[in-house]
Amino acid sequence: MKSTFKSYVNVYEDTENYQNDVDKNADAVFNAELTPALLSGEVVIGKAASVLKYSSYSEHKQGISGTLFCTNFKVSFVTADRSSYDVVDSSQWNRLLKENDIGLSCIDALYQVSGGKRKKLVPGSGISGRVKTLEVQCKNFNTHTFSFKFSPKGEDKSVVNAILHHAFPAKLTLLFAFDYISEKRQSGEYRQGSVKQYVGKRPSVRINLEMSDKKSPAKQVPSGEANVKMRGGGELKMESPGLIEDSGEFRAQKRHTGRRGQRFRHGTTLYNLPTDWETELRRLGCEDDWTVTQANEGYNMSTSLPECFVVSSRLLSTAFVTASVHFVDGRVPTWCYTYSNGASLVRMASTRPDTDETTHEDLMLEGIRMSHPRKRQPLVIDLAKTCPLAKDIATSYEKLKELCMPASLKDLWSVDGEWLSRLDSTNWLNDVMTCLQVAVYAVGKMVHERKTVVIKEYDSRDMSCIISCLVQLILDPTYRTIIGFQNLTQREWVTMCHKYPDRLGHVRYTETEESPVFLMFLDCVWQMLQQFPSSFAFSETYLTALWDSAQVAIFETFLFNSPHQAFTAIRNNAAVNDPRHTDFLSVWDWSQQFEEEQLSLFMNPLYTAKHDIPVRTDTTTQRESCTNLENKSETSAQEEQHETDIIIPETTAALIRLWSQCYLRWLAPLQIIGGGAPTEYLQQCLLVEEILHLQNKLRSLESATPVTKETRPTSHLFFSSGFKHTPAKLSKDVLTSSFPFSPIGPSSRSILGTPLSVYMEKSILNFKMNDETNASDT
């Protein structure tokens, strides 16, 4: 039968309109000009179009097309792949550097590849011929390979010469940080605390100022004062720029003030004021034996010491000025730490090679002896005889880098059978073990023999930083919190003049002084974290992020060899009117680099579970414990408490491991899809959230009040209910053994693995829109 029905409704109208919208959006995305995101003061120096970025270890058979830019801050590869019209890269880990960006200061070496042969390009030189393939090796053990096969003629040479010229500056003031501050001041943005590239309100990063190893939630501290717990009881009130405490580590309001007038920046003590040192002395209860000296005010005594530091109170300031000329770089003995029994830790430089007089060194040691409660002779540990030298660390590092950065997949598998023996031959793990052994030895002398330990090094600026920090981490749980660790690093490394730009290679001199001494320290801390997983408030991701940040030459923290160099460089900068007031970024302001969800990965769930989650105790048991404690003398109870706070790492070779997340995260063939250490970490985060959820529900049942989102404590861990975008993150992020880093392919979209959302499938938590309702909790 012939159909006679006729429809006057256009059933394809909606489909046509939808297709028009798709075409319009696609045209806007695909035809948009490829440009990198720029910071204040950042300018494009060279670029090459139609560049192919090869996937890691794909043997140059897979890649993605885009445009390669060189700016005065980074090498940026802007991909032409606009899959799913994803204009905003949701996989971006760092706000300053995207996934396909390379900071110029992070570049370690450049190789020109042709016909299977690699030729290392000399920094500062130029190339005249055509470049077919460029290999960029980075200090964070990553490798990027670019092909200019389809690039317009001349653009390859232009961009490579730009990288060669700007990646290896010969002067400190040529680093991008100076262009950044100059542009901010000229544009009127100075002291706004924001990065121009990212417009809009960023989530505030809040850092817990509580310096003690507490078990109760922090309370709000009113603007104008903060309380710091002192050894032996009591609290010390000090000025505070309106810092706010909360239950998480990252809770602080930022405040931008002058260098001389500020006590805190982003919650971290800068130790550039006498009161900073005095506060620490009072916290440790040693202010009678040690005092803050300003003998170096104006850097008249030494340019490699801060203007104020702590010395023995038994000697006059004039004695230090007189003795300084006999020590290397004028670095007289300086105080680091005092344990509860009165034994102290002191760092000291060697006497100058051109002097045979030991009178002044003996005078300094006598003052240190008199500062001991029992007037005991100090023990001097010569680090030149007990620890690896900076050049030894550099040699081990080069061998480790060669092992962890194979040039090809063939080279990777060729050493598979002998990989462990090759690792042992680098001596890197042996150097880590040696540093830990020296620190444990010093701790034993201080705790058991009650001796003051003086760690002696040629200029007291490398291994002294490592040993002094390790000793304090072993003895004092304060430094195992995030804010405490940052205070320790700021004091013993930055303020006490570790030569960051020289050792990190930010500035290339004729005679290189590069040596990753700071990485050696972080590796030692990581070893302790593995042995005492619930004693540190931070995770290994925090340590990795700190090392990565050291390679970004924009943070004042890693920009100068000493406060004097910082003062001189800033004073000579025409854009800065007052050298004591700068707008350089501080690495401790983590919100400049990371979103709050990413910062949650810095937290250690095992520490949170042990210290921040209240545990119910039987009333009778609790009463008996209090009675037993009252029967003990106050002194013995305090000593017992301090001894339980000590963590002594094992230093046998069998327990020293390779820090895989830091050294192997970019080796795509070695990644475990859906497994590895991150699996354990995320399960721990989820377990803490479930405990908080059940505790909240129990309190609700006892008080007959409904469960709400506001009543549940926030852990600030990865699965915390406080994050607004957790569902999107769970559905997009994929787990590998390198999580949260993405080593597979030029884009995270190439990863095929287990989405993080699977962790919630059997969980009692409800993450739908991140709202806890009565229906979902009952």
Side-chain angles (χ1 to χ4, degrees), residues 109-181:
L110 298 174
Y111 290 89
Q112 184 177 356
V113 182
S114 179
K117 297 182 179 180
R118 301 163 68 245
K119 175 185 177 183
K120 188 174 182 179
L121 301 179
V122 180
S125 64
I127 57 174
S128 56
R130 182 170 176 80
V131 179
K132 293 183 178 180
T133 304
L134 177 69
E135 182 179 295
V136 182
Q137 290 191 356
C138 301
K139 298 172 185 176
N140 63 357
F141 285 52
N142 200 359
T143 301
H144 304 264
T145 307
F146 304 97
S147 172
F148 300 96
K149 181 178 180 180
F150 304 104
S151 299
K153 185 178 180 180
E155 291 189 1
D156 56 333
K157 181 174 65 176
S158 173
V159 72
V160 172
N161 282 332
I163 297 173
L164 275 171
H165 179 74
H166 290 273
F168 311 101
K171 293 196 307 181
L172 183 69
T173 52
L174 294 178
L175 293 173
F176 170 72
F178 290 90
D179 295 328
Y180 173 79
I181 186 177

Side-chain angles (χ1 to χ4, degrees), residues 142-324:
N142 200 359
T143 301
H144 304 264
T145 307
F146 304 97
S147 172
F148 300 96
K149 181 178 180 180
F150 304 104
S151 299
K153 185 178 180 180
E155 291 189 1
D156 56 333
K157 181 174 65 176
S158 173
V159 72
V160 172
N161 282 332
I163 297 173
L164 275 171
H165 179 74
H166 290 273
F168 311 101
K171 293 196 307 181
L172 183 69
T173 52
L174 294 178
L175 293 173
F176 170 72
F178 290 90
D179 295 328
Y180 173 79
I181 186 177
S182 177
E183 176 64 23
K184 289 196 71 175
R185 287 180 173 272
Q186 292 178 8
S187 62
E189 298 176 31
Y190 125 84
R191 233 180 307 287
Q192 303 252 333
S194 62
V195 181
K196 185 177 180 181
Q197 171 186 342
Y198 304 97
V199 181
K201 185 178 180 181
R202 300 189 310 274
S204 61
V205 176
R206 300 171 293 246
I207 304 179
N208 186 357
L209 255 190
E210 181 62 55
M211 297 292 292
S212 65
D213 196 11
K214 58 185 174 60
K215 295 186 179 181
S216 58
K219 299 179 180 179
Q220 180 172 341
V221 177
S223 176
E225 65 179 31
N227 297 329
V228 178
K229 292 187 177 180
M230 295 188 298
R231 177 176 289 163
E235 290 185 338
L236 172 67
K237 289 190 175 182
M238 54 184 293
E239 296 179 1
S240 169
L243 293 165
I244 299 175
E245 295 186 0
D246 204 342
S247 59
E249 280 289 335
F250 290 98
R251 296 286 170 204
Q253 283 184 341
K254 297 186 305 173
R255 185 188 186 195
H256 294 265
T257 55
R259 290 170 61 87
R260 298 278 290 188
Q262 78 182 56
R263 182 183 307 278
F264 288 99
R265 176 184 288 178
H266 321 118
T268 302
T269 309
L270 297 183
Y271 293 97
N272 58 355
L273 295 175
T275 49
D276 295 339
W277 295 93
E278 291 167 358
T279 299
E280 185 69 359
L281 289 176
R282 287 195 290 272
R283 184 184 75 86
L284 298 173
C286 59
E287 65 273 20
D288 294 334
D289 299 316
W290 301 91
T291 185
V292 180
T293 180
Q294 299 186 65
N296 196 37
E297 187 172 7
Y299 306 103
N300 296 319
M301 186 179 77
S302 173
T303 58
S304 66
L305 280 174
E307 289 188 285
C308 56
F309 48 92
V310 176
V311 295
S312 171
S313 61
R314 303 298 187 264
L315 298 175
L316 298 175
S317 296
T318 53
F320 293 98
V321 175
T322 304
S324 63

Side-chain angles (χ1 to χ4, degrees), residues 374-391:
R374 300 187 181 184
K375 307 297 185 291
R376 291 184 174 179
Q377 194 68 27
L379 171 68
V380 179
I381 300 178
D382 190 349
L383 299 185
K385 299 178 180 179
T386 58
C387 288
L389 302 176
K391 62 179 182 181

Side-chain angles (χ1 to χ4, degrees), residues 459 461-462 497-504 513 560-561:
D459 59 358
R461 300 175 74 174
D462 287 315
C497 309
H498 175 64
K499 297 182 286 186
Y500 272 118
D502 292 353
R503 293 306 191 204
L504 295 174
E513 295 186 6
F560 303 104
N561 286 326

Side-chain angles (χ1 to χ4, degrees), residues 580-636:
R580 299 192 186 275
H581 292 75
T582 74
D583 198 34
F584 284 116
L585 300 180
S586 171
V587 73
W588 310 129
D589 180 8
W590 292 106
S591 65
Q592 297 283 6
Q593 297 190 74
F594 305 104
E595 300 288 347
E596 192 167 359
E597 291 182 4
Q598 295 166 328
L599 290 174
S600 68
L601 296 171
F602 288 5
M603 308 291 292
N604 182 0
L606 295 180
Y607 182 91
T608 301
K610 182 178 180 180
H611 298 271
D612 294 337
I613 296 181
V615 179
R616 293 194 171 197
T617 307
D618 181 73
T619 307
T620 304
T621 305
Q622 192 173 21
R623 192 183 302 115
E624 291 176 354
S625 300
C626 294
T627 304
N628 294 334
L629 186 60
E630 290 174 357
N631 293 332
K632 293 182 179 181
S633 66
E634 182 179 354
T635 303
S636 62

